[in-house]
Amino acid sequence: MSTETQTGKPTQGHYPYEAWEDVTRNEPHLSSIDEPLTLSELTSPFKALDPVKPEESDLTTNAGTGGEAIGQRVIITGRVLDENGEPIPNVAIEIWQANAAGRYNHELDSWRGPLDPNFVGRGRCTSNEQGVYRFLTIRPGAYPWRDDTNEWRPGHIHLSVMGPSIVSRMVTQLYFPGDPLFALDQIFQSIPEADRERVVCRYDHELTEPGWAMGFRFDIVLRGSQATPFETNLDRNGGQK
């Protein structure tokens, strides 16, 4: 949810950022209207997601083609935690991303990077009793988003977590350490400097499988002072999540 501060600068949740030319037209000029959530929205009268199958967490093979995706295999794992560091089980985690060439498997992606017929670029899993989740995927490539100024987005993975109802969905982006495009990426730079490390996964050599896949850890903290920066950190009543 974006609003405008008294200084005229739009904000994303409680994170201020300079207006972008390409998205200014989409910024609301008035405060949002709060509608109280109903009991069905809060508790969900039906399952928000179909049952998650184990094979959905392997993005290198879940295209159903019988082939394997091209690119550097990476294991992404971590824990879903509350503000006290306690694990949160049974959370649905969904990821989507570009392939190794920086191309999304979507008809609106006009980037001329090659498509991979064995990579759909999305997967799901649930956290276990210790709050642990795990994906096997391909490290995404960078892609250009403005040709006229030669701007490229660093490789990243979109990640959402969702509880028992759809309204509990929270979305963030996961980045890889040491990317030279961080300083040029307006989305990454929109996060306060002190919080940026919370959206960067860390390499874990113990997790890395010899001759197979590099391992990275990324904990997801849902609330509190150490919370992962999400696309909105304000709830519908204006309080910090």
Side-chain angles (χ1 to χ4, degrees):
M1 180 185 303
S2 297
T3 58
E4 223 174 73
T5 65
Q6 293 181 351
T7 62
K9 294 182 179 179
T11 62
Q12 182 70 20
H14 69 288
Y15 295 146
Y17 61 90
E18 296 294 338
W20 307 342
E21 179 182 347
D22 291 343
V23 300
T24 299
R25 63 181 181 275
N26 296 322
E27 289 294 324
H29 293 290
L30 300 177
S31 298
S32 60
I33 299 174
D34 290 330
E35 288 289 339
L37 298 178
T38 66
L39 182 62
S40 64
E41 289 176 309
L42 291 170
T43 62
S44 183
F46 55 87
K47 291 185 177 179
L49 292 172
D50 293 332
V52 178
K53 301 176 182 178
E55 58 267 25
E56 291 186 74
S57 64
D58 185 351
L59 280 70
T60 68
T61 59
N62 69 1
T65 60
E68 186 177 359
I70 297 173
Q72 181 187 75
R73 300 182 197 89
V74 291
I75 298 165
I76 304 292
T77 188
R79 296 185 301 161
V80 183
L81 305 168
D82 66 14
E83 66 270 32
N84 298 315
E86 295 296 324
I88 303 180
N90 304 317
V91 172
I93 300 102
E94 178 186 16
I95 63 173
W96 62 99
Q97 62 172 94
N99 64 19
R103 177 81 178 270
Y104 284 95
N105 186 10
H106 194 283
E107 61 183 5
L108 296 181
D109 190 346
S110 59
W111 159 230
R112 290 177 293 176
L115 281 171
D116 182 348
N118 299 318
F119 188 75
V120 295
R122 60 183 181 271
R124 300 187 301 169
C125 73
T126 55
S127 60
N128 64 17
E129 290 302 314
Q130 290 73 46
V132 175
Y133 73 93
R134 179 184 173 105
F135 289 99
L136 177 65
T137 187
I138 296 298
R139 184 161 178 164
Y143 60 83
W145 68 277
R146 288 189 66 173
D147 292 340
D148 56 336
T149 52
N150 194 24
E151 295 187 51
W152 295 66
R153 290 225 61 209
H156 61 279
I157 295 176
H158 300 267
L159 185 150
S160 79
V161 294
M162 185 160 61
S165 67
I166 294 176
V167 296
S168 65
R169 187 172 188 245
M170 303 170 74
V171 180
T172 189
Q173 294 186 27
L174 174 159
Y175 298 85
F176 291 85
D179 197 307
L181 295 174
F182 283 163
L184 304 175
D185 183 53
Q186 294 185 11
I187 293 179
F188 184 81
Q189 291 294 318
S190 72
I191 303 171
E193 186 173 358
D195 297 337
R196 290 171 192 166
E197 63 179 18
R198 298 181 202 157
V199 294
V200 180
C201 62
R202 61 181 178 85
Y203 174 70
D204 188 332
H205 197 65
E206 295 299 319
L207 178 64
T208 296
E209 297 185 9
W212 178 250
M214 298 178 68
F216 294 88
R217 292 196 179 274
F218 185 74
D219 289 340
I220 305 166
V221 183
L222 301 184
R223 297 180 294 273
S225 61
Q226 299 301 309
T228 300
F230 291 97
E231 287 189 0
T232 175
N233 279 64
L234 297 179
D235 65 22
R236 295 179 64 174
N237 295 316
Q240 187 173 351
K241 290 184 178 178

